[in-house]
Amino acid sequence: MADELDTSVSVLLGETVMEPMTDDLKAISEKLEVINLQLAKRNMFKVKTIRWILITLCAFIVLAFIALAVMQSFYLRWDYNNPEFAVAGTILHGFEFVFVRLAPLAFIASIIGIVITYKKR
């Protein structure tokens, strides 16, 4: 009968049983503390992952700029009467054109992101 009414047998018999609330509160606070520590660790892991992704992006941008500077737009000296060279040269020129204009913005945004994630340590 107690199961159907979702109550204890002592309540059905009219007995008053004092349940130790301090132990329950202590157990709940300990569980919450463990959960809070787990969430903090997970958050720090996400911040570190984002920071390393941004550092990798900065390194990629710097290496790409170095590679483009070393190549010195060699594709501009190709014979564009050949259709294959014309297509490849156009693609390379388009990439270089877009990269040189957007990469500095991405680099600055990455640096700002690294600084922000560094402060959240």
Side-chain angles (χ1 to χ4, degrees):
M1 191 166 162
D3 289 338
E4 292 299 322
L5 295 174
D6 196 26
T7 186
S8 65
V9 176
S10 61
V11 171
L12 290 176
L13 294 176
E15 296 176 8
T16 56
V17 178
M18 294 297 292
E19 296 180 14
M21 288 192 73
T22 57
D23 290 340
D24 290 344
L25 291 176
K26 185 177 179 182
I28 290 172
S29 68
E30 288 174 357
K31 288 179 183 178
L32 287 174
E33 185 178 352
V34 168
I35 291 171
N36 192 23
L37 288 173
Q38 289 173 344
L39 289 174
K41 285 181 183 178
R42 187 177 304 156
N43 188 29
M44 284 304 297
F45 179 75
K46 286 180 183 179
V47 168
K48 286 181 182 180
T49 302
I50 290 170
R51 184 181 315 130
W52 281 109
I53 289 171
L54 293 173
I55 290 170
T56 304
L57 179 63
C58 286
F60 172 76
I61 290 171
V62 168
L63 290 175
F65 265 116
I66 291 171
L68 289 174
V70 168
M71 289 190 315
Q72 296 177 353
S73 301
F74 67 94
Y75 54 85
L76 294 176
R77 294 184 292 275
W78 289 353
D79 178 20
Y80 279 87
N81 291 326
N82 183 342
E84 288 146 2
F85 282 144
V87 170
T90 304
I91 290 171
L92 284 172
H93 184 67
F95 170 76
E96 185 177 25
F97 180 83
V98 171
F99 181 80
V100 167
R101 279 151 183 79
L102 296 181
L105 299 174
F107 186 78
I108 291 169
S110 296
I111 295 295
I112 292 170
I114 291 169
V115 170
I116 289 171
T117 57
Y118 187 75
K119 288 183 180 180
K120 286 191 174 185
R121 256 172 141 181

